Amino acid sequence: GIRVAVVRETIIVDEDRQTLIDLSWIPSFIIFLSIIVIVTVFPYYNSTVILLYCIGAFLESLSEPFYNSFQNALEVTARIRSETIGLLIKSIVTIVAVAYIRLEVEGFGYAQVSYGAVYFLTMLSYTSVSKITTENGSPILITSFRPDFQRLLTCLVQSVKYR
């Protein structure tokens, strides 16, 4: 529902962007509560596999504010890179864990965690790097966020900071 609404809306004002980000945290909160319920209600199942899938889903849901903001700005580069790198790593982890280490179903759980972590970190690290020099001429790498992404991070920090 939130993703469909994001595509329809044109967000120009920072307050509207903040509302979008606040709404985008809802899936993470729901998944976190679901993890607590699943782990406490179903302790007799293979808890390692269930916990791995829950952690993977939670990590992936942490990137929801980024996804929605990029979707609204029609900025698909970060999404495509995140999904591509995430799927590549998930495939490698699946092959290694299932075929070589023989972890069976647990291997798929580790693959899901790797996808969630890589997907979130790739979304988070959507930056540009510029090189400057100090007074004595030694190079310093400065990471600077793209303007849209910097606004998004500012709103995310404010959302977490003031809640």
Side-chain angles (χ1 to χ4, degrees):
I2 295 172
R3 287 185 177 182
V4 174
V6 164
V7 175
R8 292 183 189 161
E9 295 294 322
T10 302
I11 296 177
I12 299 172
V13 183
D14 283 338
E15 293 157 355
D16 293 339
R17 187 176 305 277
Q18 183 63 49
T19 302
L20 166 70
I21 291 169
D22 289 344
L23 289 173
S24 298
W25 284 112
I26 292 173
S28 298
F29 181 70
I30 291 171
I31 289 175
F32 181 74
L33 292 178
S34 299
I35 291 172
I36 293 171
V37 169
I38 288 170
V39 170
T40 57
V41 173
F42 302 108
Y44 301 110
Y45 291 103
N46 187 345
S47 59
T48 304
V49 174
I50 292 172
L51 189 60
L52 287 171
Y53 273 97
C54 289
I55 290 170
F58 180 70
L59 288 171
E60 186 178 348
S61 74
L62 289 176
S63 63
E64 192 71 14
F66 299 104
Y67 181 96
N68 289 337
S69 183
F70 290 136
Q71 180 74 11
N72 181 264
L74 299 176
E75 177 65 54
V76 296
T77 306
R79 289 181 34 233
I80 290 173
R81 285 182 185 165
S82 298
E83 290 172 9
T84 302
I85 294 169
L87 285 173
L88 177 67
I89 298 299
K90 181 179 181 177
S91 300
I92 292 169
V93 170
T94 301
I95 290 169
V96 170
V98 175
Y100 294 107
I101 302 176
R102 307 235 185 255
L103 290 176
E104 298 172 353
V105 178
E106 243 178 66
F108 292 103
Y110 286 114
Q112 186 62 36
V113 169
S114 70
Y115 174 79
V118 169
Y119 183 77
F120 171 66
L121 292 173
T122 305
M123 282 281 205
L124 187 64
S125 67
Y126 192 65
T127 62
S128 62
V129 177
S130 60
K131 195 176 197 181
I132 62 169
T133 57
T134 61
E135 292 176 8
N136 64 2
S138 60
I140 298 177
L141 288 178
I142 301 290
T143 303
S144 60
F145 295 109
R146 298 179 29 186
D148 289 342
F149 191 69
Q150 190 170 8
R151 273 194 307 258
L152 171 65
L153 281 180
T154 302
C155 291
L156 280 172
V157 169
Q158 289 173 349
S159 176
V160 172
K161 187 176 179 181
Y162 298 113
R163 297 283 174 221

